[in-house]
Amino acid sequence: MTPTLLAVTCLIIVTLGYAAMCAASPFGRCRKCRGLGFAMKADRKGRPRRGRPCRRCDGHGIRIRVGRHLYNAAARLHRDGTR
């Protein structure tokens, strides 16, 4: 197997795997709050405390994956164009 063919095969496998993951689980944990929905703060004694709700995920702890967002945009464009 040539290196180019091997690279293309690996790229296709990774792409299909990510597409399957986006189809099976369209939401992932928020990267900013790590899925908690809020930022952790420390009080004056150093104990962890709950902070404000996360602005990125609106306090839900989950965000839509990039691949699913692209799929939704393409599906919306196709649906609006065929009406």
Side-chain angles (χ1 to χ4, degrees):
M1 198 179 264
T2 64
T4 306
L5 185 60
L6 183 65
V8 169
T9 304
C10 289
L11 186 63
I12 289 173
I13 289 172
V14 168
T15 304
L16 291 177
Y18 183 70
M21 184 178 67
C22 287
S25 175
F27 295 100
R29 291 182 4 177
C30 177
R31 292 184 305 267
K32 184 169 179 122
C33 66
R34 297 186 302 264
L36 294 174
F38 53 88
M40 293 296 290
K41 292 188 342 184
D43 64 0
R44 294 171 71 174
K45 294 182 180 181
R47 293 179 296 204
R49 306 280 288 173
R50 181 184 175 122
R52 289 191 204 169
C54 180
R55 293 186 319 175
R56 280 191 188 173
C57 63
D58 292 329
H60 296 289
I62 56 174
R63 293 184 62 194
I64 194 161
R65 295 186 194 275
V66 174
R68 186 61 182 209
H69 179 73
L70 292 174
Y71 173 77
N72 288 349
R76 188 179 316 114
L77 181 66
H78 177 73
R79 185 178 58 244
D80 291 344
T82 56
R83 285 187 194 192

